[in-house]
Amino acid sequence: MRPEGIIVPLVTPMDGDGNIALGAIGEQVDRMIDSGVDGIFAFGTNGEGYILSYEEKEKVLSSVIDAVSGRVPVYAGTGAISTEEAVRTSRMAARLGADYLSVITPSFAKASQEELYAYYETVAASTDLPIIIYNIPARTGNAVSPETVGRLAKLGNIVGAKDSSGDFSNILSYIQEGRKADPDFAILSGNDRLIIWTLIAGGKGGIAGCANVYPKTLASIYDLYKEGRIEEAIQVNESLADFRALFKFGNPNTVVKKAVQLLGYEVGECRAPFNKLDAKAVDLIKKCLDSDKAKGLC
């Protein structure tokens, strides 16, 4: 199995008290799949995996897998600060029936490349599921170097890497180093702005937070690319610029979830303390949604 296409890191619905609203997961899963996305990613960054307990992750993943019902692959975010917790969560995801694991780097404490290699090597040895390395140094404080990605690509079940650094040169280096070890090693952009350019460079798609807001629009980028309609795909990719510009007004997760809520879906707020947007920001999100709708984004 190799990851490809547009994969949505599904927002985790919550009620007014910040508790998981399991009953609302199915609606979002159906909305994404009906819009043409190629995979559902449970409790990624946009799914607030960083603030969910192990027990909550188990419930969310079980609900996602039930709702997906085999229609597209299910990805589970199983990385953690400790190797032990990452292994525990990865085994849970395998037991529940996930198709892929997305393993974020440890966070807070600075890790050497040897420590990162050992972390991923141990997680990979704990499961037969295919694993995607998740590199997002701005959030975790740790970056997996291209050389380390190349080493990890030699392990049988580490099949790809998601890069959310926003540095396209890093994506290119990941593609180069990964494919030295495995010609089919899959690189995914975690930055929506770079999805089409990653595809053109030889990557396989993207894990796109904005797909929670505009699933059909994001899914069409990959479809157009596969059809050879590259200029159209570039134009669609660039059509997201106005929405992405809103990220300067708050945590991108918070902006995305608020936008989904403003579209009329009962997904609640992000869990505190990451749930504050001032009135000006909310008004700008509303205006952007209206403008984007007029331009055909959906």
Side-chain angles (χ1 to χ4, degrees):
M1 294 177 64
R2 298 287 169 167
E4 64 176 338
I6 302 301
I7 300 145
V8 57
L10 195 73
V11 297
T12 299
M14 296 183 183
D15 63 22
D17 295 321
N19 300 311
I20 307 299
L22 293 175
I25 288 175
E27 179 185 30
Q28 293 307 306
V29 166
D30 288 344
R31 175 176 163 246
M32 295 297 116
I33 295 176
D34 291 346
S35 296
V37 303
D38 301 289
I40 303 290
F41 180 8
F43 46 84
T45 301
N46 279 98
E48 301 176 78
Y50 53 84
I51 207 167
L52 302 180
S53 69
Y54 175 90
E55 291 75 19
E56 288 174 324
K57 289 178 180 180
E58 188 170 26
K59 291 176 181 177
V60 168
L61 182 57
S62 180
S63 295
V64 167
I65 290 171
D66 285 348
V68 169
S69 190
R71 291 176 287 173
V72 296
V74 172
Y75 298 69
T78 61
I81 293 177
S82 75
T83 303
E84 179 183 18
E85 185 66 12
V87 166
R88 180 185 182 218
T89 309
S90 296
R91 287 174 172 166
M92 174 266 285
R95 172 172 52 81
L96 292 179
D99 298 296
Y100 291 92
L101 305 180
S102 172
V103 180
I104 199 169
T105 63
S107 59
F108 191 79
K110 188 66 176 176
S112 70
Q113 292 303 306
E114 284 304 314
E115 287 169 330
L116 291 174
Y117 180 85
Y119 166 78
Y120 281 105
E121 182 183 40
T122 302
V123 175
S126 75
T127 177
D128 292 329
L129 285 182
I131 291 171
I132 301 164
I133 300 161
Y134 181 7
N135 184 60
I136 183 167
R139 302 289 186 95
T140 67
N142 286 306
V144 186
S145 73
E147 293 75 20
T148 300
V149 167
R151 290 176 65 197
L152 290 168
K154 296 176 183 178
L155 302 179
N157 60 331
I158 296 188
V159 299
K162 171 192 175 183
D163 182 65
S164 295
S165 68
D167 180 356
F168 189 57
S169 65
N170 197 65
I171 287 177
L172 295 176
S173 295
Y174 273 16
I175 292 172
Q176 180 181 26
E177 294 298 324
R179 290 189 176 174
K180 286 180 182 178
D182 176 1
D184 296 320
F185 197 73
I187 302 302
L188 302 167
S189 174
N191 183 307
D192 298 357
R193 180 175 60 89
L194 298 177
I195 290 172
I196 185 56
W197 307 112
T198 299
L199 286 165
I200 291 170
K204 295 299 184 181
I207 297 180
C210 290
N212 283 288
V213 184
Y214 301 128
K216 289 182 181 179
T217 298
L218 267 297
S220 73
I221 295 171
Y222 184 67
D223 294 339
L224 290 167
Y225 170 78
K226 292 290 284 185
E227 293 168 11
R229 296 158 66 184
I230 306 301
E231 289 302 319
E232 291 176 68
I234 290 171
Q235 291 174 10
V236 173
N237 206 124
E238 292 177 348
S239 72
L240 299 165
D242 289 345
F243 184 78
R244 287 185 53 81
L246 297 169
F247 292 171
K248 64 187 175 186
F249 296 107
N251 187 312
N253 306 350
T254 309
V255 172
V256 165
K257 199 170 190 183
K258 174 58 72 173
V260 175
Q261 187 184 61
L262 291 171
L263 288 173
Y265 299 101
E266 296 296 329
V267 296
E269 306 283 351
C270 286
R271 183 170 282 175
F274 310 106
N275 58 356
K276 301 298 182 185
L277 290 170
D278 61 29
K280 176 184 176 183
V282 173
D283 184 58
L284 288 171
I285 295 171
K286 290 178 181 177
K287 289 179 179 177
C288 185
L289 291 173
D290 289 341
S291 175
D292 283 348
K293 181 178 179 181
K295 291 186 289 187
L297 275 68
C298 58

